[in-house]
Amino acid sequence: MEGLSQENMMAKAQQIWTMLDDMSENNPQAYRKFIDKQKQESKEWTTPPETHMCVQTVMYEPTRQRVFMNFCAWLRVHGPKDDEAPIPVVGGPLLEDEDDDGIYSVVSLGFNPKVLEEFGRDSKNPEELKAMVNLAISFVQDAHKVQLSRSYTILKRSIQCKGSEERTIKSLKSVFNKGDSETEKQIDDLKKSFAPMQAMASEDVIGNVKNSNGVTPNMDIPILTKPGASFEQPDPAIRISADSKPAKPGLIQEISDSKVVLPKPEYSVVVKDVEGDRPRCIVFRLELPGVTSVRDCDLDISEDDLTLCVTNKYEICLQFPEKVLDDKASAKFSTKSSCLTLTMPTVKKS
């Protein structure tokens, strides 16, 4: 009903109720089927998002810090219209919070449940899961004007979102708050003007009013929709084929992101047990040809992993085979061999 004047909206509503009156008298079975369909769609429309998985990566610009993306399944977000259509996604605001490891950013993303079922955490094809996460990264970068690492970690199944589930859902639903409020106001105006509406449940009215403008409660949300922005259809970032055979190039193809994925440097890892006064430790050796100074290396170490980025040259995120004492880690860079050696004592003593 967006864009209609009050007078035109009333005229449109009158047409709807005339049609429904005729249908109820001449074809009661079709009328009941229509109303039942509206109830079901309205129920789906009001069903809240459900958390699915949480992905951690790193923000490079404008500030360097951890970023968590909460993936949510939401019936309100349509799946792709067909095999060649882009995957719709909506996202909430990029929020800051703090835990024991310091300040971090978190954003909630909504996908159709069937999309996450096929391409999410339990995807049978790792490349499809990777494409899904990269789609999310592209969305966040485009919507919030930040630069994120393409190296990421999917948190364990018991952690489906960073922060409280209530806050995650509220953040995602905020995308539609303005539109929902306007729709409710229109419905209230219509209820005051048309007696038949007072006899119907609000959920029926919502479905009928929305359908009067050719928009069903499961409205189509184009890809890369910015929070609070109007719905526009930019270039698709991901496409799906209905082919059920093993994945092949093109099954999921990210084509809108023009950013270059940096190569991963060669590396080796060795776990050294206690020896004399030396504690048990993990030693990483990364080969960085073309790097002449340790100042070119942007390194971040936590107890579980490390992330290394050399601007326009290399990028890598490595999981540790066991937890380390990150505050006791040491690094040495050889300008002669362009090798970075990291030594990290482990939490495990032996």
Side-chain angles (χ1 to χ4, degrees):
M1 304 294 283
E2 183 178 357
L4 290 180
S5 66
Q6 187 77 5
E7 182 179 349
N8 289 336
M9 183 176 68
M10 294 301 178
K12 178 72 71 172
Q14 182 64 66
Q15 292 174 11
I16 294 172
W17 291 112
T18 299
M19 177 196 72
L20 290 176
D21 284 343
D22 291 341
M23 185 184 296
S24 64
E25 290 179 7
N26 302 320
N27 194 341
Q29 186 176 0
Y31 175 79
R32 177 44 52 190
K33 184 177 180 180
F34 175 82
I35 294 300
D36 288 344
K37 182 173 183 254
Q38 301 311 304
K39 285 184 177 181
Q40 178 60 33
E41 290 181 339
S42 296
K43 182 179 180 181
E44 293 179 354
W45 181 254
T46 56
T47 299
E50 294 184 3
T51 55
H52 173 76
M53 68 177 181
C54 182
V55 174
Q56 178 181 351
T57 185
V58 177
M59 183 190 302
Y60 291 139
E61 296 177 2
T63 58
R64 180 176 176 81
Q65 61 187 32
R66 295 168 297 150
V67 175
F68 296 89
M69 298 183 293
N70 293 330
F71 285 65
C72 299
W74 202 5
L75 285 169
R76 191 163 181 173
V77 183
H78 250 174
K81 290 183 177 180
D82 53 54
D83 296 340
E84 297 300 320
I87 294 179
V89 52
V90 296
L94 188 65
L95 305 174
E96 278 198 351
D97 208 334
E98 189 171 4
D99 58 16
D100 293 341
D101 295 322
I103 296 175
Y104 64 84
S105 294
V106 60
V107 61
S108 300
L109 304 171
F111 294 87
N112 184 268
K114 291 184 178 179
V115 170
L116 289 180
E117 181 180 342
E118 185 172 359
F119 304 108
R121 176 192 289 276
D122 298 318
S123 174
K124 297 179 181 178
N125 190 316
E127 290 302 313
E128 292 179 348
L129 173 57
K130 181 179 179 181
M132 167 65 73
V133 175
N134 275 287
L135 165 64
I137 290 174
S138 296
F139 174 86
V140 175
Q141 290 186 146
D142 181 82
H144 299 288
K145 307 306 177 189
V146 295
Q147 179 65 42
L148 303 182
S149 169
R150 292 283 171 177
S151 298
Y152 61 86
T153 300
I154 299 178
L155 302 191
K156 56 186 179 181
R157 192 174 294 272
S158 61
I159 305 177
Q160 293 188 337
C161 65
K162 181 67 173 179
S164 72
E165 183 174 344
E166 180 181 1
R167 183 187 183 191
T168 298
I169 293 173
K170 183 177 179 181
S171 170
L172 197 52
K173 291 175 69 175
S174 69
V175 177
F176 295 103
N177 282 350
K178 181 179 179 181
D180 287 349
S181 297
E182 291 177 353
T183 298
E184 290 174 3
K185 183 179 183 302
Q186 290 176 348
I187 291 170
D188 288 339
D189 291 341
L190 289 171
K191 282 182 177 180
K192 295 174 183 177
S193 303
F194 293 94
M197 284 191 174
Q198 297 177 3
M200 293 186 64
S202 178
E203 59 184 11
D204 296 343
V205 178
I206 292 175
N208 294 332
V209 170
K210 289 182 180 297
N211 282 332
S212 71
N213 198 34
V215 181
T216 65
N218 276 329
M219 63 190 298
D220 185 21
I221 305 166
I223 197 167
L224 295 181
T225 302
K226 299 179 179 62
S230 59
F231 295 146
E232 299 177 352
Q233 183 66 54
D235 293 335
I238 189 169
R239 295 182 182 276
I240 301 177
S241 166
D243 191 351
S244 60
K245 297 177 181 179
K248 57 184 178 180
L251 181 63
I252 294 183
Q253 183 180 10
E254 186 179 353
I255 61 178
S256 72
D257 186 20
S258 60
K259 296 180 175 61
V260 177
V261 178
L262 298 178
K264 294 184 179 181
E266 296 292 327
Y267 70 92
S268 63
V269 56
V270 177
V271 179
K272 296 184 177 181
D273 210 343
V274 176
E275 184 177 336
D277 295 333
R278 187 193 68 195
R280 181 181 176 85
C281 61
I282 299 175
V283 179
F284 274 95
R285 177 183 170 87
L286 298 104
E287 299 179 11
L288 306 171
V291 179
T292 58
S293 172
V294 71
R295 287 177 295 182
D296 297 332
C297 302
D298 191 359
L299 181 65
D300 183 42
I301 300 176
S302 72
E303 65 176 10
D304 298 307
D305 59 17
L306 69 83
T307 302
L308 171 73
C309 181
V310 181
T311 305
N312 298 327
K313 289 184 181 293
Y314 303 106
E315 182 180 63
I316 192 171
C317 183
L318 298 171
Q319 292 285 327
F320 299 147
E322 54 188 83
K323 291 185 181 295
V324 304
L325 301 171
D326 52 297
D327 57 337
K328 298 185 180 300
S330 63
K332 292 182 180 180
F333 181 77
S334 171
T335 55
K336 183 177 181 180
S337 61
S338 294
C339 287
L340 178 64
T341 302
L342 304 170
T343 304
M344 294 153 290
T346 65
V347 173
K348 185 178 179 181
K349 300 301 182 181
S350 62

